[in-house]
Amino acid sequence: TLLANGQILTVGGSVGTTYKFAPWAFGGMIEIKPRTAMLALNFDPSVSFYDGELSFNYPIYLKFIFGKNFRVCPTFGFIGRTKTANIKASTGGTLGLMFEKRVRENDFVFLKFDYMNEGRKYDSYSPGGSPYQYISYQNSLWISIGYRTILF
């Protein structure tokens, strides 16, 4: 089991948005790390709404943990989003900085800033009529707040 192997499992939730306050995302958080490690693996599944359309987000990233009661945590990893009627599916990278404050022995509140670079594939046609694909990259800044608790 996780407990027998000296692992910590943390779960929580968050709400986030871009610096333009659209779209919004609502989701969960799962973190696994060895008890004495400064490095954790995180998966933050969420849903976001683009022009009223639902998209599933599946970021997975590594988080470096500095501090005990107040933590400063740089992050980096992968982000993927499903398509909607108006937005193509995308994949890309994410870099972030997370601030965590312990509010009880096993509970934290956090503020997270993420820079995301995502690519979307589009189909097009050359002037001669031949089909081809190109990738359009989009950068975004996200701000999230949330709460998490250590289960064991």
Side-chain angles (χ1 to χ4, degrees), residues 13 18-19 21 35 55 59-60 63 68 70 75 81 89-90 105-107 110 113 116 123 136 150:
T18 66
Y19 68 97
F21 297 105
R35 192 163 298 282
S55 176
I60 186 166
K63 178 173 87 173
K68 184 169 169 114
F70 179 78
T75 66
R81 296 186 201 283
S90 64
E105 172 137 4
N106 290 332
D107 299 336
F110 64 86
F113 301 91
M116 298 181 187
D123 297 321
S136 174
I150 298 172

Side-chain angles (χ1 to χ4, degrees), residues 17 23 38 43 46 52 56 74 92 97 104 109 121 126 129 142 150:
T17 186
M38 293 176 55
F43 178 59
S46 64
F56 178 67
L97 187 61
R104 287 192 291 237
V109 293
K121 288 185 182 178
S126 68
W142 281 80
I150 298 172

Side-chain angles (χ1 to χ4, degrees), residues 3 50 61 74 109 120 129 147:
L3 188 60
Y50 292 87
Y61 59 91
V109 293
R120 292 181 173 93
Y147 184 86

Side-chain angles (χ1 to χ4, degrees), residues 70-148:
F70 179 78
R71 298 176 174 182
V72 176
C73 308
T75 66
F76 75 94
F78 168 84
I79 177 74
R81 296 186 201 283
T82 59
K83 71 177 187 164
T84 69
N86 300 319
I87 302 289
K88 288 266 200 185
S90 64
T91 58
T94 178
L95 290 172
L97 187 61
M98 190 172 197
F99 299 98
E100 300 178 340
K101 173 69 175 125
R102 187 183 300 266
V103 292
R104 287 192 291 237
E105 172 137 4
N106 290 332
D107 299 336
F108 294 85
V109 293
F110 64 86
L111 176 64
K112 186 175 181 204
F113 301 91
D114 286 301
Y115 168 79
M116 298 181 187
N117 179 274
E118 302 171 64
R120 292 181 173 93
K121 288 185 182 178
Y122 291 93
D123 297 321
S124 190
Y125 294 92
S126 68
S130 301
Y132 69 94
Q133 283 190 331
Y134 69 95
I135 299 175
S136 174
Y137 290 95
Q138 177 183 1
N139 300 317
S140 59
L141 295 172
W142 281 80
I143 302 166
S144 304
I145 59 169
Y147 184 86
R148 63 186 196 85

